[in-house]
Amino acid sequence: MLQIDEDGRVSHAIFRVARLHRMLAGQLLRQAGLHPGQEMVMMRLWDRGPQRQSDLCGELGADSPTMTRTVQRLERAGFVRRSPDPTDGRAVLVEPTAASQALRHQVERMWRELEEATLGDMDEDQQAETLRVLGLLECNLAVRANKPVGRPSGQA
């Protein structure tokens, strides 16, 4: 029988932190009418411009049905527009709308607020060490899950 106190204390700590982080993110994002995960799609589109929906899946680690639902919701809210990819008729391009630019400022503010709440009064050395350890954990898990890791946390 698993004893969280001994056998799974790191995994349990990660679970608790991730749950609380997602909960606070959800509270902040609801102020803008978004759900967790939708801001990641929007940030990617604002930073890189129109993207194939399939590329968004790969970059954000989402499956196709989940991304389709996310994009449909964002489209209904007026934040993205979908169109056929001119170079591949089977693909769909997703692009941010002009209306999403006001949302961008809200999301950036909320993301900063989430970062401040997460870091608390950690100094720069503690932040750097946290990023280093999280990067190692991410790599360990990616190897085990057989998933590529883009850039470990904390590396530019």
Side-chain angles (χ1 to χ4, degrees):
M1 186 164 134
L2 175 69
Q3 297 176 346
I4 290 175
D5 291 341
E6 294 176 21
D7 296 333
R9 64 181 188 254
V10 171
S11 293
H12 192 247
I14 292 169
F15 170 80
R16 291 189 320 269
V17 168
R19 183 188 56 187
L20 288 168
H21 190 269
R22 187 169 176 86
M23 183 178 73
L24 180 55
Q27 290 172 357
L28 293 169
L29 290 166
R30 273 192 292 283
Q31 297 170 16
L34 294 176
H35 297 282
Q38 291 177 331
E39 85 282 10
M40 299 302 291
V41 172
M42 293 308 306
M43 287 192 295
R44 180 74 56 179
L45 294 173
W46 290 322
D47 288 345
R48 296 193 178 163
Q51 300 281 302
R52 284 183 174 187
Q53 190 166 313
S54 59
D55 292 339
L56 288 170
C57 288
E59 291 176 20
L60 298 174
D63 60 31
S64 185
T66 299
M67 185 58 67
T68 297
R69 284 189 304 274
T70 298
V71 169
Q72 287 172 342
R73 289 178 184 137
L74 290 168
E75 186 176 40
R76 281 194 299 271
F79 298 134
V80 300
R81 170 179 30 260
R82 290 185 296 171
S83 59
D85 184 335
T87 62
D88 181 353
R90 300 167 299 171
V92 174
L93 281 181
V94 182
E95 64 182 305
T97 63
S100 76
Q101 291 308 312
L103 177 70
R104 182 178 192 165
H105 300 297
Q106 284 183 284
V107 168
E108 288 170 348
R109 179 187 51 78
M110 289 174 203
W111 201 250
R112 282 190 304 273
E113 188 175 334
L114 181 61
E115 185 81 353
E116 289 168 6
T118 302
L119 296 174
D121 61 359
M122 291 173 74
D123 65 33
E124 287 187 28
D125 288 341
Q126 291 171 315
Q127 291 176 37
E129 180 63 8
T130 299
L131 286 170
R132 186 188 73 73
V133 171
L134 288 171
L136 289 172
L137 295 174
E138 181 181 10
C139 286
N140 291 344
L141 293 169
V143 166
R144 192 67 179 262
N146 219 7
K147 296 281 185 178
V149 175
R151 170 178 63 133
S153 300
Q155 294 184 4

